[in-house]
Amino acid sequence: MESSSMLYQNGVDESLKNDGDSQQEEVDEFNNLQTTITDGSPTDENRNTRTKRYGFGPIEPDCLQILNKPVYFLIVQCIVIFNFGFAATGLNNTMLTSIEKRYGFKSTQIALFTMTQHFVAGVVAIFVCYIGHKHRPLTIAIGCFISSIGFLTISIPQYVVPLYQAGVAMDTDFCRANTTSTVSKDCNTESTNIDDDINVLPIFLLGYALLGIGVTPLYSLGAAHIDHITTRKQSSLYFAVFAVIGFLGPAIGFVAGNPILNIYVDIKQPSQSNLKPTNRNWVGAWWISFVIGSIITFIPILPMLGFASEFPNTWRVIEAKKKHVDTIRKDKDLKHDLKDFVPSFKKLLRNKPFMCLILSVAIESLTISGFSVFLPKYLETQFYLTASSAASYVGFAILPGSVLGILIGGYLCRRFSFNGRKLLIFNLVALCASTVFMLGLLMGCDSRDIVGATSPYYNSSSAELSIDDQCNQNCQCSMKFYKPVCSVLDQRTFYSPCHAGCSSQHFADGVYANCTCLPQDTKIKMVDGRCMPECSQLPYFMILIFFNLFFTFVTNVPKAQAYFRLIPEGQGSLGQGLQQTVVRFLGFIPASPFFGSLIDRSCELWHVDECTGQTTSCLEYDNHKFKYYLMALAFLTKIISIFFMILSIKFYRLPKKNGTGEDNQENVELM
């Protein structure tokens, strides 16, 4: 207990060094306060440290009390957010393309997954944070348990749906113009990869809804508890560590997704199949990621349950914070119970600088959330990477830029002890810089030339583009599986060997022969796979995206501290809940459908179900439309975010103390 007291004493003394001429007076006042309480004042009797020991119910052995310190809460909390970010952001977003391909979802349907998660989280955030304020560690542990169940639920479709049919090399891949047999469409048995009697979409949505409930306390109450138990300078360091670990999880998750995607979805391929990860029809073992997520989010539950609602010396930190000039004192008329929920909530809504700040963050988060989901798909499309390679590049892009930005932002806050106004100005400057580096989205490769979709067949007499043409009209081609082939010389991609009119293949070198849709007087080689246009812009894209991520995340710690500087003491948890609700409804929830809709608009070639005539997933995109649409959306959200940040600075006023030492509420800008 004595060492814990000294730890807090040193932290408080350090946090007071930059408060101007009143430094020594405040330190003396704090020392007098500590002496008075230690000498057995009534206040000391009210601080029942026995109820604030580390343990599990009646089991509170002395050997466990070494863990009853803020630094150990930070360690356990970092494990919580690392594991969740690793699975829910890194692995999850890496697997979405495979899920889309496996079950024939459109991008807009994939967007429903994250949209459901954020909608549920936004609905419950305020209530969970307000109720969970009384015992934050317990609420965080409950959130871990619900998240673990959610991850396990998402993996269920793998166990209830028949094995994946990827399409194998058979004679039906070739043109059958000179044969008497016919190829029939089997629409009554297994015409698609999904059993018609099993609708897996509700299962996915249920799993993501559980993740939405579980994630709410992990970040909101975790941040509120860190601010509650640490001094100003301690919180700068703690928030920096908290944020770095929070982004290490997703970054490492993106990289870890690579080997998982190289495992076949059903582990063992059918005997007649020999697909490789580079094949268009390859689907990785996406479900393994969610099983891993279920296990690792369950692990920190027990250590988190051991923490009490606060630490024995937390009250000393609270007393010391009251000395800072930008601290807004707690409203004594508002108690933290259900009766005062509505008055407390209204007071936050009328706080102009706070609401403008969270509106700025919410609008910017639309772009951040959208790219966190679709950046792997963006790299796959723009630079012709495999799903596993794209996941690795995303991890390498996120890791250095975001981590370096967070560390520098935390150091600057600790070094210069920014007050509320300076924190907001710092956020504005970094926001403007990150907007400039959004120009990296202009980088990308040219689109593929898809015969029948973007360009006509050789010597075609039809004025309209169509996958079917006179050169393959008698070939009995199937569109069930997309098995592209490339004419090497002119870099044109055909839907399949059959659609190129090819009737055979030289297995020694893999070159197709007798292709009726190629000019007869040339020696154009036709090989497996899509054509890969030459492109050297990936390194430049990675450099620009590094600086964009740096300036985006250098504000992470300043924003976290600004949230608590703009609201009264005791409302941190409710403020975090409101912030999470606004950010999710204005940022995270519309991000996925907005991005998904724009991506679908840039599709050049859709897969069409032969039996129903309905379009399923997109096979090829127009790269220029793809990047221009997303860049326009990103710039628009950044400009709006800058506008609200300027308003927050305009409305902010340092709280003034009256003669009794209480805040003068008239100096707080209210709506």
Side-chain angles (χ1 to χ4, degrees):
M1 295 294 291
E2 182 179 355
S3 63
S4 178
S5 175
M6 289 301 296
L7 175 64
Y8 273 83
Q9 174 70 65
N10 293 337
V12 170
D13 287 344
E14 184 181 7
S15 70
L16 296 172
K17 288 180 181 178
N18 297 302
D19 275 355
D21 297 335
S22 61
Q23 170 190 341
Q24 189 60 46
E25 178 183 352
E26 292 175 353
V27 173
D28 292 340
E29 183 177 353
F30 177 82
N31 289 333
N32 292 335
L33 174 65
Q34 183 179 8
T35 302
T36 301
I37 295 172
T38 305
D39 288 341
S41 68
T43 309
D44 186 44
E45 297 175 0
N46 294 332
R47 313 288 182 184
N48 188 355
T49 59
R50 187 65 193 176
T51 62
K52 299 173 183 176
R53 292 168 60 85
Y54 187 93
F56 309 93
I59 305 175
E60 298 176 344
D62 292 338
C63 62
L64 291 181
Q65 301 319 304
I66 191 175
L67 303 176
N68 200 26
K69 297 176 183 178
V71 66
Y72 291 108
F73 172 80
L74 177 66
I75 292 173
V76 176
Q77 178 63 19
C78 284
I79 294 174
V80 169
I81 62 170
F82 177 89
N83 290 351
F84 188 87
F86 176 86
T89 302
L91 291 181
N92 171 71
N93 292 349
T94 304
M95 303 298 142
L96 290 180
T97 302
S98 294
I99 295 175
E100 176 182 356
K101 195 182 304 179
R102 172 65 176 91
Y103 299 104
F105 292 135
K106 297 180 181 179
S107 294
T108 48
Q109 291 175 306
I110 291 294
L112 281 176
F113 297 171
T114 53
M115 185 177 176
T116 299
Q117 176 184 336
H118 295 310
F119 176 81
V120 173
V123 169
V124 304
I126 295 177
F127 178 78
V128 169
C129 289
Y130 189 78
I131 300 300
H133 170 86
K134 294 184 178 181
H135 202 311
R136 299 185 187 97
L138 173 62
T139 311
I140 292 172
I142 295 173
C144 289
F145 178 76
I146 297 174
S147 298
S148 179
I149 300 300
F151 281 119
L152 197 59
T153 301
I154 294 173
S155 70
I156 289 177
Q158 172 65 20
Y159 320 129
V160 299
V161 171
L163 297 180
Y164 175 58
Q165 299 180 52
V168 294
M170 300 182 295
D171 61 352
T172 53
D173 291 335
F174 299 110
C175 180
R176 301 169 61 86
N178 298 322
T179 63
T180 57
S181 61
T182 60
V183 178
S184 61
K185 300 176 183 178
D186 188 358
C187 297
N188 296 320
T189 55
E190 295 181 341
S191 60
T192 64
N193 292 327
I194 310 172
D195 192 322
D196 291 337
D197 295 331
I198 301 176
N199 184 2
V200 298
L201 184 59
I203 300 176
F204 280 110
L205 297 183
L206 174 61
Y208 281 95
L210 291 173
L211 289 186
I213 298 173
V215 70
T216 301
L218 306 190
Y219 291 89
S220 300
L221 291 183
H225 201 56
I226 288 174
D227 180 76
H228 181 68
I229 62 178
T230 58
T231 63
R232 285 285 178 87
K233 285 207 168 183
Q234 283 176 329
S235 69
S236 298
L237 175 62
Y238 278 41
F239 275 131
V241 174
F242 181 78
V244 167
I245 297 299
F247 284 98
L248 277 176
I252 296 177
F254 276 113
V255 177
N258 191 334
I260 295 176
L261 287 174
N262 287 330
I263 302 173
Y264 186 69
V265 61
D266 297 317
I267 306 299
K268 184 179 180 181
Q269 295 192 45
S271 57
Q272 71 274 30
S273 176
N274 189 29
L275 290 175
K276 293 179 171 44
T278 53
N279 292 123
R280 173 64 180 77
N281 291 330
W282 175 273
V283 173
W286 61 270
W287 54 275
I288 294 178
S289 298
F290 296 96
V291 174
I292 293 174
S294 178
I295 296 172
I296 63 177
T297 50
F298 191 85
I299 291 174
I301 293 178
L302 185 61
M304 183 62 75
L305 286 173
F307 291 105
S309 59
E310 60 181 20
F311 296 97
N313 290 332
T314 299
W315 63 272
R316 290 190 175 121
V317 175
I318 297 173
E319 292 297 325
K321 286 180 180 178
K322 293 179 180 178
K323 308 296 188 295
H324 293 274
V325 295
D326 59 347
T327 297
I328 303 176
R329 297 290 182 88
K330 182 177 181 180
D331 190 338
K332 296 181 179 180
D333 294 331
L334 295 176
K335 309 298 181 182
H336 204 90
D337 52 29
L338 291 177
K339 182 181 67 175
D340 288 330
F341 171 77
V342 174
S344 298
F345 186 65
K346 286 183 177 179
K347 190 168 185 178
L348 283 180
L349 291 178
R350 296 175 60 221
N351 187 326
K352 284 184 179 181
F354 178 71
M355 290 304 300
C356 287
L357 173 62
I358 63 176
L359 285 173
S360 174
V361 173
I363 299 301
E364 185 188 19
S365 67
L366 190 150
T367 296
I368 296 175
S369 176
F371 276 106
S372 71
V373 175
F374 291 106
L375 188 56
K377 190 180 188 76
Y378 183 90
L379 290 176
E380 286 182 55
T381 303
Q382 292 296 319
F383 302 104
Y384 303 123
L385 303 176
T386 63
S388 57
S389 297
S392 297
Y393 274 105
V394 170
F396 293 137
I398 290 177
L399 191 59
S402 60
V403 170
L404 185 61
I406 292 168
L407 290 176
I408 291 180
Y411 168 77
L412 293 175
C413 287
R414 183 177 176 85
R415 173 66 178 81
F416 296 105
S417 299
F418 294 141
N419 60 27
R421 175 173 295 278
K422 291 179 180 178
L423 287 171
L424 294 176
I425 293 174
F426 181 88
N427 288 327
L428 176 62
V429 173
L431 182 57
C432 293
S434 68
T435 303
V436 173
F437 285 102
M438 291 298 297
L439 292 173
L441 294 176
L442 290 174
M443 302 293 175
C445 305
D446 291 332
S447 302
R448 290 188 179 91
D449 185 2
I450 311 298
V451 178
T454 63
S455 64
Y457 281 83
Y458 294 103
N459 302 320
S460 175
S461 59
S462 175
E464 297 182 358
L465 294 177
S466 174
I467 295 297
D468 297 318
D469 191 72
Q470 290 181 347
C471 65
N472 59 31
Q473 63 180 356
N474 297 320
C475 289
Q476 305 179 55
C477 299
S478 171
M479 295 184 64
K480 181 176 181 179
F481 300 111
Y482 182 48
K483 308 188 74 173
V485 291
C486 174
S487 57
V488 179
L489 183 63
D490 54 2
Q491 288 291 294
R492 305 184 82 203
T493 300
F494 291 80
Y495 193 94
S496 71
C498 180
H499 288 86
C502 304
S503 57
S504 63
Q505 183 182 27
H506 301 302
F507 289 100
D509 55 8
V511 176
Y512 289 92
N514 303 320
C515 301
T516 59
C517 292
L518 294 179
Q520 299 302 312
D521 57 346
T522 62
K523 296 183 179 180
I524 299 178
K525 287 185 177 181
M526 185 74 73
V527 296
D528 273 319
R530 295 179 289 183
C531 298
M532 298 292 182
E534 293 185 4
C535 181
S536 59
Q537 296 192 24
L538 181 58
Y540 304 106
F541 173 83
M542 296 295 290
I543 292 173
L544 290 175
I545 207 66
F546 166 83
F547 285 106
N548 174 266
L549 289 169
F550 173 82
F551 285 108
T552 297
F553 293 110
V554 77
T555 64
N556 196 285
V557 175
K559 283 177 183 176
Q561 290 197 323
Y563 289 138
F564 298 102
R565 303 287 180 88
L566 302 184
I567 57 179
E569 291 178 323
Q571 288 194 306
S573 297
L574 181 60
Q576 284 290 293
L578 176 60
Q579 180 256 345
Q580 284 291 311
T581 297
V582 174
V583 165
R584 292 183 187 280
F585 276 101
L586 294 185
F588 292 168
I589 292 176
S592 293
F594 280 0
F595 273 74
S597 176
L598 291 177
I599 290 173
D600 283 347
R601 284 176 178 269
S602 64
C603 184
E604 288 183 327
L605 178 62
W606 286 96
H607 180 271
V608 180
D609 189 289
E610 292 182 309
C611 299
T612 65
Q614 295 180 344
T615 58
T616 55
S617 58
C618 183
L619 303 175
E620 298 288 347
Y621 293 94
D622 183 323
N623 282 11
H624 295 294
K625 289 182 179 180
F626 195 111
K627 65 185 178 183
Y628 290 148
Y629 286 161
L630 297 193
M631 187 182 69
L633 179 60
F635 265 99
L636 177 62
T637 56
K638 287 282 189 178
I639 295 301
I640 298 175
S641 180
I642 290 173
F643 171 74
F644 280 111
M645 189 65 73
I646 293 173
L647 288 182
S648 183
I649 296 172
K650 178 181 182 299
F651 290 133
Y652 180 74
R653 299 289 185 275
L654 283 172
K656 295 182 180 180
K657 315 293 182 180
N658 58 29
T660 63
E662 299 295 332
D663 291 332
N664 184 353
Q665 297 296 328
E666 293 180 359
N667 289 286
V668 180
E669 289 278 358
L670 300 176
M671 294 183 181

